[in-house]
Amino acid sequence: MWGGSSPVPKALTCYRLFSQEDLRTHPPTKGMRLNRLLVSFVLVTLSIYAQLAEADVPPEVPNLAKSKKDRQKSEKLPPCRACTVLVNSFRDGMKRTERSKHDGGDAAWEEERLGSYKTSELRLVEIQEGLCRDVGRGEDQCHLLAEEHESQIEDWWKEHQTAQPDLHQWLCVEQAQVCCPDGFFGPNCDPCPSCFGNGKCKGNGTRKGNGKCACEEGYGGDNCDSCGPEHYESFRDTDKLLCSKCHKACAAGGCTGAGPNACRVCRSGWIMDSQRGGCTDIDECITANTCTKQQFCVNTEGSFNCLECDKSCDGCDGDGPDMCKECADGFELRDGLCTDVSSEKRNQYVAFTRYLTYLGLCIATCIVLQSSTWLAALVGLAVAIYISVSEYWLNTEPQGTPAPSPKILDELLQQ
C-alpha cells in the first residue's frame, strides 16, 4: 500500500514500533490515545497526497468563454453574404495594391519584361496574402471560401478581368451560384416585383426568399400599392404612391386627408364634431380638471398638463404671482401681485432689536455715571462711536464698481 521507499510509511512504522515498546512500560492514557489518532491521520493524509503527486494527473482546465472577436470570426454567414464578404475583401486588396509596382529600379524595363503589374500574378499573390484579414464577422468562413474558389479567382484574374470586371457577378452569381443580381431572387433568380417603390423584395439579390414585398411603414398591399392603417393617400401616379400619416386626433379608423377634420374616428381626448365633421379637442381643464390646489391646468391637443403654481400663491389660475387666488404665507397682495413681505418683517425685527441694544448701552452708561464720572464719560464715548459707526454702515448703500476712465476704455478696445 505504501509503495516501499516512501518516507511517510517509514515514519508511520517508526511511530508504531515506538508505541508498542512504550505500551510495555507505560499504559496509554486517554490523551495519549487521542494524540496517536491525530498523528496517524496526518501521516495517512500525507501519504495519499504523495501518491497522487507521483501519479502526475494533469488538472482539468475549464473551458473559457470565447471572446466577442472570436465569436465573430467563427460566425457562419448565409452563402450569398459570405461570398459578398470574400469579394469585398478582394476588392479592398485591389485598392491597397493599385499604386504598387514591380520591384526593381527600372520600372519601364520591368513592365516590358514581366508585363503590367496591374494584371500580374505577383499582384494577385499580394492580394491573396491579405485576403479576409480585414473581415470582422465570418473571417473563418471567408478563408474557407477563398481556398475553395482559389482556382476560379485566378481564372477570373487572368482570363476574365477585362471582359467582366465585376467579380461579384462573375464569382457569386455565375460560378458559385449563391447570389442573384440586384432585383432578382430565388433559386432561379426570378425578377422581383417593383413594390411600387415603397418596399423591398424578400430575398433580393440572393437565392433565398419568396419575392414578396416587405412594405415600409404606412404602406400595404401585395405590391405596397395602398396606404396602411392611419395613413392617407397624398399623391399617386402610375409609378409612385405617397402615403402620409393621419393627424394625431385620428384613431385606428384612419382618415381621408390631412388635419383633424378628416378623421373617421377620434382618439381619446378628442370628440367628433357632429356639425362640421372631424375631431375637436376636448378641454380637459374645463371638463375633467384633476390638478391639485397648488397646480393650474394647461390644455393640450388630446390631453392636458398640471403645472405648479408660483411660490407666492396659495392656489392659482395660471403662472406667475399675478394669477394667485390667495397669497401664500409671507406674501401680501400689492398692486395685483403677491409680494414677499417676510424680508420686510425681518428687517423690522432686526431694527427693533438694534434699538433695544442701543437703549441698553445708554442705560448702562447712566448706571456707571453714578459711581464714576470719568469712567462714564469713556463708556459713553465708546457707545456713541459704536452707535454712529453701526448706523452709518447699515444705512450707507454699497457702492458699485467705479466706471473705467476713458483712457482705460481706449486701451481695452485696442487689445
Side-chain angles (χ1 to χ4, degrees), residues 234-251:
S234 56
F235 175 80
R236 177 190 284 271
D237 60 13
T238 56
D239 300 321
K240 183 66 177 176
L241 168 67
L242 179 61
C243 296
S244 301
K245 191 173 181 60
C246 294
H247 191 270
K248 60 182 179 180
C250 304

Side-chain angles (χ1 to χ4, degrees), residues 277-297:
C279 298
T280 302
D281 177 45
I282 299 174
D283 191 347
E284 290 86 356
C285 295
I286 298 176
T287 60
N289 187 355
T290 58
C291 298
T292 65
K293 180 182 178 182
Q294 289 301 109
Q295 295 177 329
F296 64 95
C297 182

Side-chain angles (χ1 to χ4, degrees), residues 82 85-86 89 131-132 135 138-147:
V85 168
L86 173 62
S89 180
L131 205 58
C132 300
V135 174
E139 181 178 341
D140 295 342
Q141 187 179 11
C142 180
H143 285 294
L144 292 175
L145 282 179
E147 294 179 3

Side-chain angles (χ1 to χ4, degrees), residues 21 41 54 73 77 104-105 149 156 171 202 270 273 283 335 398:
E21 184 178 355
F41 175 77
E54 291 175 359
K73 287 178 60 178
L77 303 177
H149 299 294
W156 174 82
L171 178 63
K202 294 181 179 179
W270 304 77
D273 191 331
D283 191 347
D335 299 328

